[in-house]
């Protein structure tokens, strides 16, 4: 049976106005991502990578076209509905971990689950299991400042998938790490994708990591183009 399409962009456009000038960033993007699939978004700075991720993650609205999550069009949804989808169906990982400094690793992972209404005991149990899966269970009670860069990113990834999203969007998740640590973090991320069946779009400048993903795409003239 064919894997379901978790994320689909159809005819998506995004324009920005600067003074009297209109800047077209995305010009009719068509793109789809299936469950259990990893795609590397490899493109130079300034071509619209972050804009594409923001639109896919419902952080921005397109000027034209549709964004569908699990087959459901999100274009006409109100802010509350979009927020609910972001909370339940989309996970985000950024170049900087954005962990809450006053909370421990396990508490950072518990937070989105508690916000979603999960009982504290169950949230702690799931968070501990994710930390073990990322091979940092022994660091559960440490605060972010006490963790290495690679450990911080693994906690950030665990937090992003804590609510079992359909789609994971990552913007240069290994950009601040040395090559060896970056490889280890990506290995953990890929294992999570395979295990959970979520769909992952990862923006990266690391061509070695990109080569390990199922697909590679770039942005040319405001459109998504398949590489290879």
């Amino acid at each position: 049976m064919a894997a379901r399409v978790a994320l689909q962009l159809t005819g998506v456009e995004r324009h920005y106005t600067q003074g009297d000038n209109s800047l077209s960033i995305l010009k009719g993007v068509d793109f789809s991502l299936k469950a259990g699939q990893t795609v590397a978004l490899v493109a130079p700075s300034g071509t619209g990578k972050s804009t594409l991720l923001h639109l896919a993650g419902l952080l921005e609205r397109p000027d034209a076209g549709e964004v569908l999550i699990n087959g459901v069009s999100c274009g006409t949804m109100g802010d509350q509905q979009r927020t609910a989808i972001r909370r339940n169906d989309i996970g985000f990982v950024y170049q900087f971990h954005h962990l809450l400094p006053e909370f421990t690793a396990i508490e950072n992972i518990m937070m989105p689950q508690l916000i979603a209404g999960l009982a504290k005991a169950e949230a702690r149990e799931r968070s501990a299991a994710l930390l073990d899966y990322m091979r940092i269970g022994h660091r559960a009670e440490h605060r972010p400042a006490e963790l290495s860069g690679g450990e911080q990113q693994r906690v950030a990834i665990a937090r992003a998938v804590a609510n079992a999203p359909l789609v994971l969007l990552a913007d240069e998740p290994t950009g601040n790490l040395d090559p060896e640590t970056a490889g280890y973090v990506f290995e953990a991320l890929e294992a999570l994708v395979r295990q959970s069946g979520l769909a992952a779009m990862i923006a990266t400048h690391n061509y070695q990591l990109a080569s390990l993903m199922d697909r590679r795409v770039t942005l040319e003239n405001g459109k998504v183009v398949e590489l290879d």
Side-chain angles (χ1 to χ4, degrees):
M1 188 172 68
R4 74 178 187 280
V5 175
L7 168 68
Q8 185 170 355
L9 280 69
T10 305
V12 165
E13 297 183 10
R14 190 71 173 102
H15 315 290
Y16 296 101
T17 302
Q18 293 180 331
D20 295 329
N21 299 318
S22 179
L23 189 63
S24 294
I25 303 297
L26 302 178
K27 308 171 186 176
V29 166
D30 294 313
F31 172 79
S32 63
L33 182 59
K34 294 180 179 179
Q37 189 177 61
T38 57
V39 60
L41 175 58
V42 184
S45 298
T47 54
K49 288 200 308 290
S50 294
T51 298
L52 182 63
L53 288 170
H54 288 170
L55 290 167
L58 307 185
L59 294 170
E60 294 184 35
R61 293 179 185 268
D63 295 305
E66 282 192 289
V67 178
L68 294 89
I69 304 293
N70 203 26
V72 177
S73 176
C74 303
T76 58
M77 288 182 177
D79 289 339
Q80 277 191 320
Q81 286 176 293
R82 289 165 67 88
T83 297
I85 289 178
R86 281 198 303 271
R87 184 177 62 228
N88 298 321
D89 296 336
I90 304 171
F92 297 93
V93 183
Y94 299 98
Q95 185 169 352
F96 186 71
H97 57 77
H98 293 298
L99 299 174
L100 299 171
E102 65 272 30
F103 295 103
T104 64
I106 196 167
E107 288 168 343
N108 267 279
I109 302 170
M110 289 171 62
M111 201 68 65
Q113 299 173 73
L114 296 175
I115 291 170
L118 204 65
K120 189 173 182 179
E122 188 175 352
R124 177 170 284 274
E125 184 179 338
R126 284 175 57 173
S127 300
L130 278 168
L131 283 169
D132 285 341
Y133 192 84
M134 303 298 281
R135 301 184 192 176
I136 47 171
H138 60 294
R139 307 291 272 164
E141 300 302 330
H142 290 72
R143 288 182 170 80
E146 301 169 316
L147 303 175
S148 70
E151 288 170 340
Q152 290 168 345
Q153 278 301 73
R154 278 180 275 168
V155 174
I157 292 167
R159 180 183 60 183
V161 301
N163 283 337
L166 300 171
V167 178
L168 181 69
L169 302 172
D171 195 356
E172 298 286 351
T174 61
N176 286 330
L177 306 176
D178 64 83
E180 184 177 352
T181 305
Y184 190 83
V185 168
F186 177 76
E187 185 181 299
L189 175 58
E190 188 177 42
L192 263 177
V193 170
R194 303 294 178 222
Q195 181 71 21
S196 63
L198 61 80
M201 178 160 62
I202 303 168
T204 181
H205 283 108
N206 189 322
Y207 286 90
Q208 185 177 358
L209 295 184
S211 70
L212 301 174
M213 298 187 217
D214 297 323
R215 292 164 55 201
R216 283 147 296 283
V217 300
T218 190
L219 282 163
E220 290 182 3
N221 299 317
K223 295 189 177 185
V224 171
V225 177
E226 297 278 342
L227 295 172
D228 300 341

